Amino acid sequence: MTKILLKRAYAAPSAEDGYRILVDRLWPRGQSKAVLQLDHWAKGIAPSTELRKGWDHDPARFDEFAQHYRTELNQNPAVDDFLELLSQHQVVTFVYGAKDEQTNHAVVLRDYLLDQLSAP
């Protein structure tokens, strides 16, 4: 089974990261391709612009945001291809730009995909 790690775009890449995927719709401010050392940019799997702006990273509304994001993922045709990509790697690191390491879309995405990967 694929191990999914999470790392801020502003933290240095490391060998333990495995396959690095940017999971933001927007490029992280002030970061270059060389610094990020990405293997893939999955902007099609990130929350919609409307959902992201509506949430505005308010921790008090995180549960509501997570529920809406899961609904988006359930309807997103890119999820199947993304799951196939994940299955090709033992370790994957989702790279994201959010400041809050506990309440961000990468946490929701990781948990959602792990549920999908473990489903019968």
Side-chain angles (χ1 to χ4, degrees), residues 23-26 42-57 65-76 105 108-109:
V23 293
D24 284 355
R25 193 168 295 274
L26 303 173
K43 55 182 149 180
I45 201 113
S48 66
T49 300
E50 297 79 20
L51 181 57
R52 181 179 51 80
K53 286 183 176 182
W55 172 41
D56 198 30
H57 296 274
F65 162 78
Q67 181 180 4
H68 287 296
Y69 185 29
R70 285 186 193 97
T71 299
E72 280 190 359
L73 290 167
N74 283 334
Q75 300 168 356
N76 188 338
H105 75 283
V108 178
L109 180 60

Side-chain angles (χ1 to χ4, degrees), residues 19-50:
Y19 193 79
R20 290 174 51 88
I21 303 172
L22 178 62
V23 293
D24 284 355
R25 193 168 295 274
L26 303 173
W27 191 263
R29 195 172 301 196
Q31 298 295 74
S32 69
K33 288 182 181 181
V35 168
L36 288 179
Q37 298 179 24
L38 298 172
D39 297 298
H40 187 74
W41 184 7
K43 55 182 149 180
I45 201 113
S48 66
T49 300
E50 297 79 20

